């Protein structure tokens, strides 16, 4: 391949950073570089480069924005590239280094903080929307999935080939496999089969030098890092090879709801005592929302016990009577269906819709949102739960959504260092705290964000400590960010240990090896300890980091 050698790219990039130039210059030179890049493909790159003056630019940018909180961002990409082939990505990576552009990589666009399409520096978005081929190989229960494919597309393609195979990924169909698998990825099959990332067996990534690497070529360290460490720090992931898992031809779903007046708090209390110990084929999560009571119209909190069981209702009922009788589940609450129908049902809460609904990529009319995550290791005492429920009665709690997802089962059997995702045994459940609103403007946003920040500090005594753990796929910039233009080990370890615990240091080591100059960076990217920001000396810090590795 006619790739420019790495050292000359670096030399040019360094030279460039010394000369000042306007961003208009930058992006013109960058686009020129893309157009003249020697492609290993007959498919021209000129068809997939969108500058801000292009009439399709905004619709391409907006299409995958899944949190409208960032639709108004003033810092938009100078260029969007929607690659059709690998060499379009290689060209973008190399030309970006030559011309001082940063890269943001977008697959499904669900990043909670918009990091896949917002940045404060001149940048290009590599949007993988055109790379979404899925090859299901039923002969050996595997599939190759391009990173731009969504979960819904993946589940749909599996179901075309088999009614007894599935995959343990997330629930929401528009989520992209690129971001989702690289941060972990969980859904209703987690207690039986672990995370999506636990079931990845090979991958293709393009590194900072533009090389396309599979598992063998990238080596086990990098392959480890991209299964849970967040992809965006290491390169552009093009495709995953995954292991499909068996599912029965019939599964059972139910949604049983209780208001506070119907003893919801008591049932949640009992749920906390059993949720992570139930049969691993049974997952019952709890969704908390505010509703108006049907009796008197006054606001109350509704707890929805949302569940999927890998088996028929006749096995489920006795299991529930034995393990969780307090919910009072009866046969009439339950619906038997195929696994793929349950995927659609749990996502959209509808039945009878054609499965093609799983292929729709755009969730229209989305609310603004801000979310956070927590891990619960000891049952939250009733008084703690009461205080949490009180937040729903504030104005900002009107459309809030809090979800408890039980761990246990397979999650207890996988070691904390198997992949970078460290949240394994000892957790009863995981919380997704989310506030949603529709009022426009900064003032409203600030009010809702303050609400969830208060709720988060209220929860501190009841959740994991040292560190207060968080799930990287529920990205939250409040827990710490890298400084602009400079990624310090010490500063990154504040958020890094929350997401990755002791795996953070290994992630830093891998990053330092594969991207020593820290080209792939964002507000929460893994630091390279050799990286030097503009004019700052980091000797002491590097020593500290090295010492941390040795232990
Ligand atoms: C409505 C909604 C429902 C969700 N449901 C679930 C759920 O059920 N279970 C669960 O575990 N999570 C869930 N999530 C969280 C989701 O897993 C993460 O937001 C995930 O990172 C999204 O991936 P994406 O490709 O859609 O997002 P993007 O915004 O495209 O990417 C997220 C991050 O990954 C990076 N990235 C994306 N693609 C690549 C690539 N090809 N190579 C390298 N880096 C890449 C991006 O740069 C960014 O930093 C949900 C999120 C939302 C908004
Ligand atoms: C282009 O890439 C393909 C596979 O990636 C390879 O087989 C082929 O030899 C390459 N062609 C050139 C001209 O480099
Ligand atoms: C916009 O960009 C696309 C893709 O590069 C190109 O095909 C199209 O001609 C451009 N349109 C305009 C009006 O510049
Ligand atoms: C899996 O099956 C496909 C054919 O669908 C084949 O190309 C591939 O080599 C098989 N892989 C293994 C590991 O057997
Ligand atoms: C609940 O009642 C309030 C006040 O009467 C009303 O504004 C709101 O729209 C109602 N919410 C729902 C979900 O019906
Ligand atoms: C987005 O910008 C428009 C126009 O400037 C403004 O009216 C609107 O309030 C903004 N929305 C948000 C969420 O800030």
């Amino acid at each position: 391949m006619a790739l420019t050698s790495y050292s000359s790219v670096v030399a040019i990039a360094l030279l460039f950073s010394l000369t000042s130039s306007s961003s208009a210059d930058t992006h013109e030179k960058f686009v020129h570089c893309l157009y003249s890049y020697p492609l290993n493909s007959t498919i021209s790159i000129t068809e997939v480069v969108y500058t801000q003056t292009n009439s399709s630019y905004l619709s391409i940018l907006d299409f995958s924005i899944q949190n409208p909180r960032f639709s108004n961002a003033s810092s938009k990409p100078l260029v969007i590239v929607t690659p059709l082939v690998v060499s379009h990505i290689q060209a973008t990576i190399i030309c970006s280094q030559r011309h001082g552009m940063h890269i943001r990589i977008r697959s499904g666009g669900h990043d909670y903080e918009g990091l896949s399409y917002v940045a404060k520096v001149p940048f290009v978005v590599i949007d993988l929307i055109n790379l979404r081929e899925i090859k299901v190989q039923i002969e050996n229960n595997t599939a190759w999935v391009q990173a731009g494919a969504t979960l819904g597309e993946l589940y749909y393609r599996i179901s075309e080939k088999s009614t007894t195979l599935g995959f343990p990924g997330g629930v929401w169909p528009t989520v992209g496999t690129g971001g989702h698998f690289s941060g972990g990825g969980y859904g209703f099959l987690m207690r039986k089969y672990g995370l999506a990332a636990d079931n990845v067996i090979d991958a293709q990534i393009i590194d900072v030098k533009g090389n396309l690497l599979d598992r063998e070529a990238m080596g086990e360290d990098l392959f480890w890092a991209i299964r849970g460490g967040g992809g965006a720090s290491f390169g552009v992931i093009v495709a995953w090879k995954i292991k499909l898992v068996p599912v029965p031809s019939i599964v059972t779903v139910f949604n049983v709801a209780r208001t506070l007046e119907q003893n919801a708090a008591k049932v949640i209390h009992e749920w906390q005592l059993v949720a992570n110990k139930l049969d691993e084929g049974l997952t019952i999560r709890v969704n908390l929302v505010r509703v108006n009571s049907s009796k008197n119209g006054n606001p109350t909190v509704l707890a929805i016990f949302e569940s999927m069981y890998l088996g028929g209702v006749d096995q489920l009922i006795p299991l529930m009577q034995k393990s969780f009788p307090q919910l009072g589940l009866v046969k009439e609450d339950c619906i038997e269906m195929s696994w793929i129908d349950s995927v659609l049902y749990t996502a959209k809460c509808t039945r009878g819709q054609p499965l093609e609904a799983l292929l729709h990529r755009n969730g229209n009319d989305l609310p603004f949102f801000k979310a956070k995550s927590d891990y619960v290791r000891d049952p939250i005492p009733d008084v703690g739960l009461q205080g949490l429920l009180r937040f729903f009665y504030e104005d900002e709690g009107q459309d809030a959504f809090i979800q408890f997802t039980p761990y246990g089962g397979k999650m207890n059997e996988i070691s904390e260092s198997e992949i970078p995702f460290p949240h394994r045994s000892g957790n009863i459940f995981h919380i997704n705290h989310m506030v949603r609103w529709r009022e426009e403007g900064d003032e409203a946003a600030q009010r809702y964000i303050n609400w969830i920040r208060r709720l988060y500090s209220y929860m501190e005594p009841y959740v994991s400590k040292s560190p207060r753990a968080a799930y990287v796929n529920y990205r939250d910039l409040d827990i710490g960010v890298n400084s602009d233009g400079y990624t310090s080990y010490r500063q990154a370890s504040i958020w890094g240990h929350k997401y990755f615990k002791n795996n953070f240091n290994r992630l830093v080591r891998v990053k330092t090896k594969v991207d020593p100059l820290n080209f792939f960076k964002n507000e929460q990217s893994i630091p390279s300890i050799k990286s030097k920001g503009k004019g700052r000396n980091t000797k002491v810090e590097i020593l500290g980091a090295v010492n941390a590795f040795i232990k």
Side-chain angles (χ1 to χ4, degrees), residues 59 64 83 101 155-156 286 377 393 443 461 474 477 514 523 548:
S59 61
S64 295
M101 292 274 268
Y155 301 147
Y156 181 89
V286 183
R377 302 175 68 84
Y393 293 89
E443 184 278 329
Y474 290 165
L477 295 185
V514 304
E523 289 81 344

Side-chain angles (χ1 to χ4, degrees), residues 141-446:
N141 295 353
T142 59
W144 270 105
V145 186
Q146 285 191 320
T150 63
L151 293 178
E153 290 169 332
L154 172 61
Y155 301 147
Y156 181 89
R157 297 297 166 207
I158 295 172
S159 78
E160 282 185 321
K161 293 275 181 82
S162 166
T163 54
T164 53
L165 288 173
F167 189 70
V171 175
W172 198 246
T174 57
V175 168
T177 56
H180 187 69
F181 294 6
S182 68
Y186 74 89
F188 280 102
L189 294 175
M190 175 178 71
R191 303 191 66 247
K192 178 83 176 175
Y193 296 114
L195 305 167
D198 292 324
N199 293 278
V200 169
I201 53 179
D202 202 340
Q204 290 184 336
I205 188 171
I206 303 178
D207 70 7
V208 68
K209 301 176 201 173
N211 295 321
L212 175 65
L213 309 171
D214 67 2
R215 177 175 182 169
E216 196 187 338
M218 78 178 85
E220 287 305 299
D221 267 345
L222 180 53
F223 183 61
W224 174 85
I226 58 174
R227 286 173 296 154
S233 302
F234 302 100
V236 179
I237 295 154
V238 179
W240 307 98
K241 186 180 185 184
I242 58 173
K243 190 172 72 200
L244 306 179
V245 301
V247 291
S249 52
I250 292 292
V251 306
T252 305
V253 296
F254 65 81
N255 279 328
V256 171
R258 298 273 182 273
T259 62
L260 290 182
E261 292 69 31
Q262 294 164 329
N263 250 339
K266 177 95 177 73
V267 187
I268 295 170
H269 173 90
E270 296 298 333
W271 175 87
Q272 293 192 75
L273 305 180
V274 300
N276 62 329
K277 303 188 189 83
L278 295 170
D279 181 300
E280 61 186 22
L282 175 58
T283 298
I284 305 177
R285 56 184 197 184
V286 183
N287 301 331
L288 301 173
V289 291
R290 180 170 126 188
V291 295
N292 294 334
S293 153
S294 57
K295 252 200 228 135
N296 50 19
N298 291 336
T300 181
V301 177
L302 189 68
I304 303 160
F305 294 83
E306 185 191 20
S307 180
M308 202 272 287
Y309 173 60
L310 291 168
V313 67
D314 291 337
Q315 297 137 275
L316 174 60
I317 296 293
L319 196 64
M320 286 293 286
Q321 276 161 358
K322 182 165 135 264
S323 321
F324 189 24
Q326 295 82 0
L327 189 62
L329 186 77
V330 294
K331 207 167 168 171
E332 290 67 36
D333 296 323
C334 302
I335 316 172
E336 289 186 333
M337 56 180 72
S338 65
W339 175 75
I340 191 67
D341 282 330
S342 82
V343 167
L344 188 59
Y345 182 81
T346 51
K348 308 252 166 159
C349 229
T350 55
R351 288 186 77 197
Q353 227 184 350
L355 285 179
E356 282 66 33
L358 292 171
L359 305 177
H360 300 159
R361 285 186 75 105
N362 52 339
N364 39 33
D365 199 27
L366 298 160
F368 304 112
F369 73 85
K370 164 75 191 160
K372 293 171 166 292
S373 62
D374 261 319
Y375 283 88
V376 175
R377 302 175 68 84
D378 299 299
I380 302 172
D382 289 343
V383 51
L385 193 60
Q386 295 302 341
L388 170 62
L389 297 174
R390 271 196 293 279
F391 277 87
F392 279 94
Y393 293 89
E394 298 181 19
D395 288 345
E396 293 79 14
Q398 165 169 277
D399 197 23
F401 176 80
I402 295 184
Q403 184 170 64
F404 297 169
T405 299
Y407 273 53
K410 181 77 178 177
M411 293 302 273
N412 288 346
E413 291 162 24
I414 300 175
S415 99
E416 283 196 2
S417 58
E418 185 70 28
I419 62 170
F421 179 101
H423 316 293
R424 303 288 185 173
S425 65
N427 293 304
I428 303 177
F429 62 98
H430 168 219
I431 308 182
N432 182 18
H433 309 281
M434 184 178 277
V435 65
R436 303 179 291 196
W437 67 95
R438 293 199 177 266
E439 295 149 70
E440 300 271 332
D442 288 345
E443 184 278 329
Q446 209 50 56

Side-chain angles (χ1 to χ4, degrees), residues 1-2 40-41 212:
M1 265 200 257
N40 172 15
S41 167
L212 175 65

Side-chain angles (χ1 to χ4, degrees), residues 27-47:
H27 101 262
E28 260 166 44
K29 287 179 185 151
F30 168 74
V31 170
H32 181 74
C33 174
L34 287 182
Y35 285 0
S36 53
Y37 189 83
L39 291 180
N40 172 15
S41 167
T42 51
I43 303 176
S44 162
I45 199 168
T46 58
E47 303 304 310

Side-chain angles (χ1 to χ4, degrees), residues 105 107-111 116 128 171 176 179-180 186 232 235 237 471 473 475:
I105 310 157
S107 290
H110 289 72
D111 194 291
S116 54
L128 297 175
V171 175
H180 187 69
Y186 74 89
I237 295 154
Y471 174 34
N473 266 348
R475 192 184 305 287

Side-chain angles (χ1 to χ4, degrees), residues 136-142 241:
V136 177
Q137 299 170 337
I138 221 72
E139 300 78 10
N140 39 36
N141 295 353
T142 59
K241 186 180 185 184

